[in-house]
Amino acid sequence: MALGKTLTIAIMDAPYESSNSTTALRIVHAALEKGHNVNVFAYEGAVNLTMKAQQAHPNPVKGTSVEQEQHPTTKDWVGSLFKLASKKGVKLDWVNCGLCVDERGAGDWIEGPRRGGPKDLLDASSASNATLVIPTK
Amino acid sequence: MAKYLVIESRDPFDSSDSEYFSELVQGISKRGKATTLFLVQNGVLPARKGSKHSNMIAKLVRSKVKVLADGFSLKERAIGKLVNGVEVADMDRLVDLLLEPGTKAIWH
């Protein structure tokens, strides 16, 4: 375990709807790169960020293929963050809010995240050096 | 003493909240608190030199608010020239600021 600090981030935007998702993932990436541990509490639409069934797609309007489009998926991005944490020897604890998951039928996610609840956010926040809440607009 | 890190993702062209939020930031700074405004996403739009709302940012710089603008967001929007006093920053800088002891972070 690295001697870095610990940052907790709460996110609630669904994937592909808001720049907030991109910014949140950029912050997580930067923190891990710097050797810090990161807790993520994903709630409301953000539980869909890690859904395993996400797929890249072609763009029929432009006539581009899946390969040409290089459409990034949030589940791949989050998956790469887990790999980065492992490489850096730091911890990425990603909690998907269970109630939000059940509401959305979003329980099938990639390897890495775990199911939890608001208490996890409280515990993580209490044990962190800093907490940032990124609400939807 | 508490330090304030205020992250602005909204812009005054889209949301009138943005101007009220700017007044809040100025108010915090006027109370003598070290205040940093980090502009990200569309929040960088008023930092463009000559933009309709650039005075809002210039006013904050004059009020001793440290104003940073996310380089990635600027690049996405082809913004080159910034209001005097605004500094380009990245997520590394934001993480450092977030983890500075005694910092209170607010996202808008």
Side-chain angles (χ1 to χ4, degrees):
Chain A
M1 184 63 64
L3 295 173
K5 296 181 177 178
T6 301
L7 174 66
T8 293
I9 299 183
I11 51 178
M12 68 184 299
D13 278 289
Y16 317 116
E17 287 188 9
S18 160
S19 299
N20 287 358
S21 306
T22 306
T23 303
L25 295 177
R26 288 177 64 214
I27 294 171
V28 174
H29 182 266
L32 294 173
E33 273 287 357
K34 291 174 83 72
H36 300 305
N37 304 303
V38 180
N39 302 312
V40 175
F41 184 73
Y43 64 117
E44 302 296 351
V47 297
N48 291 101
L49 288 166
T50 52
M51 282 186 77
K52 197 191 283 182
Q54 288 184 21
Q55 285 187 21
H57 58 73
N59 187 327
V61 177
K62 291 195 292 180
T64 49
S65 66
V66 174
E67 292 75 24
Q68 289 166 326
E69 194 63 21
Q70 293 187 314
H71 186 281
T73 61
T74 55
K75 61 122 181 183
D76 285 341
W77 195 348
V78 176
S80 72
L81 292 174
F82 275 100
K83 285 180 188 159
L84 176 61
S86 174
K87 184 179 152 196
K88 290 280 179 180
V90 297
K91 187 178 179 189
L92 171 59
D93 185 17
W94 185 294
V95 174
N96 281 328
C97 167
L99 295 177
C100 313
V101 165
D102 293 345
E103 282 174 340
R104 292 163 178 78
D108 189 19
W109 55 67
I110 60 167
E111 190 178 339
R114 65 182 176 90
R115 182 186 174 96
K119 184 179 181 300
D120 289 286
L121 174 59
L122 176 63
D123 291 344
S125 181
S126 303
S128 293
N129 298 92
T131 298
L132 178 64
V133 177
I134 303 179
T136 59
K137 191 172 177 181
Chain B
M1 186 177 73
K3 287 175 272 191
Y4 288 82
L5 171 61
V6 184
I7 304 166
E8 175 60 294
S9 66
R10 302 184 195 183
D11 68 277
F13 299 97
D14 178 56
S15 164
S16 56
D17 282 6
S18 187
E19 291 203 46
Y20 295 129
F21 197 63
S22 170
E23 288 172 16
L24 174 71
V25 173
Q26 196 176 4
I28 295 170
S29 181
K30 277 187 173 170
R31 289 185 173 208
K33 311 287 186 190
T35 311
T36 301
L37 174 66
F38 193 100
L39 304 171
V40 70
Q41 301 167 197
N42 280 344
V44 302
L45 291 175
R48 182 175 64 80
K49 200 167 200 168
S51 85
K52 186 181 173 188
H53 295 281
S54 59
N55 278 344
M56 186 177 89
I57 298 298
K59 198 171 170 184
L60 291 173
V61 172
R62 286 196 299 274
S63 303
K64 302 200 185 319
V65 175
K66 178 88 174 166
V67 183
L68 305 175
D70 173 43
F72 179 84
S73 304
L74 291 170
K75 205 169 178 182
E76 280 185 319
R77 291 159 182 81
I79 297 175
K81 291 184 178 171
L82 298 174
V83 169
N84 290 342
V86 177
E87 197 180 315
V88 180
D90 57 18
M91 288 297 122
D92 280 6
R93 181 83 177 272
L94 181 62
V95 168
D96 288 344
L97 289 166
L98 278 167
L99 290 170
E100 262 186 33
T103 297
K104 294 179 188 295
I106 305 164
W107 175 286
H108 181 247

